[in-house]
Amino acid sequence: MPHCHTFIAALRQHGYRITPQREMVIEVIAHSRQHMTAEEVYAEVQKRTHAVNIATVYRTLDLLVEEGLASRADLGGGQVVYATAAHGPHIHLVCRQCGLVVDADVVPFEPLFRQIEAAHGFVCSPQHFAIYGQCAACRAAADAVPERG
Amino acid sequence: MPHCHTFIAALRQHGYRITPQREMVIEVIAHSRQHMTAEEVYAEVQKRTHAVNIATVYRTLDLLVEEGLASRADLGGGQVVYATAAHGPHIHLVCRQCGLVVDADVVPFEPLFRQIEAAHGFVCSPQHFAIYGQCAACRAAADAVPERG
DNA sequence: TTCGTTGTTGCAACTGTTTGCAATAAGAGA
DNA sequence: TCTCTTATTGCAAACAGTTGCAACAACGAA
């Protein structure tokens, strides 16, 4: 069963109406091989039909995030991206200095997520989240000379 | 030495100019006991002087984040907050459904951050970051009845 | 102290995102 | 199939945040 049908079934089960606009947005994000910005999703939808408004794209993406079917990550520099679990869970290491984004495996975090669930009753859905820090290149540069030297 | 003087010294060392506007913003965020939105920082600055523009507040906060002196976290619902290390590092567990935000200790993540540094050369500066998921109450509700039933 | 360089600022325009509301339409029930 | 309820949509306005640029001013050198 194609991935987007899974999403549609889940939304239907949760009482949401399935409109052609929603199907379009879901199809685009579900079949994407990597995360996309809302503007990219909108542009892809516009290739197929002009009958979907940007506000509807934002609303549908937010609905998918709220229902745990997609995740949203701020990668800095105005890059807010959406992704589904189909992309495979991973985290983004975002350099706060140069903006470089590096992907990292989320598996090592899983014991920690179980710990959080035990302590807080909170279930992490961390398909894509961002951790900010400093990349190797920027650290090397900072050690060599004071910035703005 | 008050915290804000540390920030100012660090910026000066990195070659940034120290303007009255920047001192004002730094003083507000450095002395705050908890994280603040940019709008809250701006309002606090406005109590003292009207000679600081909102754009300057954003620029100064971004500068502090870029220099590792503050961190920025998106807590959902339009809540983007800034905080300094003085607030004590902790992570925010944000429920994607109801928006509840729960703080959690960052200490259990530290071995993982060392692992990331070893694997990627990337140094996490995780004073405040957000992990999205589902809180205990929303999970209980979801198990009991399908949403939007 | 003065002067020159250049980083910084305020402003208004712009961008990405959200929101109020009337019109539209999905879908359940008869 | 039809009707009614109400969720959803498109639209334009609004909002949070960013940006280009001329004016201002921090700061180092003389």
Side-chain angles (χ1 to χ4, degrees), chain B residues 22 32 43 60 113 137 142:
Chain B
R22 282 181 172 170
S32 167
T60 306
F113 295 147

Side-chain angles (χ1 to χ4, degrees), chain A residues 59-74:
Chain A
R59 284 176 174 131
T60 305
L61 290 173
D62 284 350
L63 176 61
L64 294 176
V65 170
E66 198 173 299
E67 293 302 313
L69 301 170
S71 62
R72 176 177 192 278
D74 182 345

Side-chain angles (χ1 to χ4, degrees), chain A residues 3 7 29-34 69 83-89 127-128:
Chain A
H3 206 49
F7 286 9
I29 187 76
H31 292 155
S32 167
R33 285 197 167 78
Q34 52 185 334
L69 301 170
T84 72
H87 305 142
Q127 290 99 339
H128 297 75

Side-chain angles (χ1 to χ4, degrees), chain A residues 17 19 22 51-53 56 59:
Chain A
R17 298 182 184 185
T19 64
R22 282 179 170 170
V52 180
N53 194 268
T56 298
R59 284 176 174 131

Side-chain angles (χ1 to χ4, degrees), chain B residues 17 19 22 51-53 56 59:
Chain B
R17 296 183 186 185
T19 64
R22 282 181 172 170
V52 181
N53 194 269
T56 300
R59 284 177 175 131

Side-chain angles (χ1 to χ4, degrees), chain A residues 53-121:
Chain A
N53 194 268
I54 182 71
T56 298
V57 172
Y58 276 98
R59 284 176 174 131
T60 305
L61 290 173
D62 284 350
L63 176 61
L64 294 176
V65 170
E66 198 173 299
E67 293 302 313
L69 301 170
S71 62
R72 176 177 192 278
D74 182 345
L75 303 187
Q79 277 196 98
V80 173
V81 297
Y82 296 80
T84 72
H87 305 142
H90 56 273
I91 64 175
H92 304 280
L93 306 174
V94 185
C95 183
R96 51 172 165 79
Q97 212 133 37
C98 68
L100 180 75
V101 178
V102 170
D103 291 350
D105 196 1
V106 77
V107 169
F109 283 81
E110 281 165 7
L112 226 43
F113 294 147
R114 285 196 281 276
Q115 209 174 317
I116 288 176
E117 183 173 357
H120 299 277

